[in-house]
Amino acid sequence: MSTFIPSAKSIERRWHVIDAAGRSLGRVASLAAKVLQGKHKPIYTPYIDCGDHVIVVNAAQAVLTGQKEEQKLYRYHSGYEGGLREERAKDLRQRRPSRLMEEAIQGMLPKTTMGKQMYRKLNVYERADHPHVAQKPQSLEVE
């Protein structure tokens, strides 16, 4: 008996909605990363992108536990000498709240070309409304 290996064409992609209001940022991000990779499916294959699309709503209301709001730093570099910039989570939440969720989820995905492909299936919105109603997304609960 041979082992079943799915092909890229045979994978059925679904849409899922995760409500982040009042939930821990890390728990929402880990669930989203798992679904984007396809690890929730029985046909999961590490070298094939078999994940689903994920919509995260109410990203601005996700909670950071402990002192992370004041102490967590997000760093990025302009590419020029001395171009390292740092920003606290509190300031980033005021400026662009959805970026906190995007950074957390992207950090949990593989750092490969396939990881970038998985990241493209992520949609993060600050509020409860989203333009993907036509895709009939299913709701996912965060534990």
Side-chain angles (χ1 to χ4, degrees), residues 32-67:
K34 185 173 106 174
V35 173
L36 286 169
Q37 292 178 60
K39 289 191 170 186
H40 66 293
K41 293 183 176 181
I43 62 163
Y44 170 71
T45 309
Y47 53 87
I48 296 175
D49 179 16
C50 54
D52 292 340
H53 295 267
V54 174
I55 304 164
V56 179
V57 294
N58 293 321
Q61 298 172 16
V63 178
L64 284 172
T65 58
Q67 299 296 314

Side-chain angles (χ1 to χ4, degrees), residues 130-137:
H130 61 84
H132 305 286
V133 179
Q135 281 73 29
K136 299 176 184 163

Side-chain angles (χ1 to χ4, degrees), residues 37-95:
Q37 292 178 60
K39 289 191 170 186
H40 66 293
K41 293 183 176 181
I43 62 163
Y44 170 71
T45 309
Y47 53 87
I48 296 175
D49 179 16
C50 54
D52 292 340
H53 295 267
V54 174
I55 304 164
V56 179
V57 294
N58 293 321
Q61 298 172 16
V63 178
L64 284 172
T65 58
Q67 299 296 314
K68 292 187 195 99
E69 196 80 34
E70 296 291 328
Q71 294 176 353
K72 187 167 178 60
L73 292 174
Y74 288 91
R75 294 183 175 99
Y76 57 97
H77 202 284
S78 67
Y80 291 99
E81 275 188 51
L84 181 66
R85 307 284 171 87
E86 290 182 345
E87 191 170 19
R88 297 207 181 278
K90 176 179 69 174
D91 301 329
L92 184 60
R93 186 186 293 275
Q94 289 174 352
R95 189 172 58 86

Side-chain angles (χ1 to χ4, degrees), residues 6-53:
S7 65
K9 293 178 183 176
S10 69
I11 294 169
E12 181 184 329
R13 302 206 190 279
R14 294 196 172 127
W15 287 72
H16 301 279
V17 174
I18 302 173
D19 188 5
R23 307 282 187 198
S24 172
L25 178 77
R27 292 192 187 255
V28 173
S30 63
L31 176 64
K34 185 173 106 174
V35 173
L36 286 169
Q37 292 178 60
K39 289 191 170 186
H40 66 293
K41 293 183 176 181
I43 62 163
Y44 170 71
T45 309
Y47 53 87
I48 296 175
D49 179 16
C50 54
D52 292 340
H53 295 267

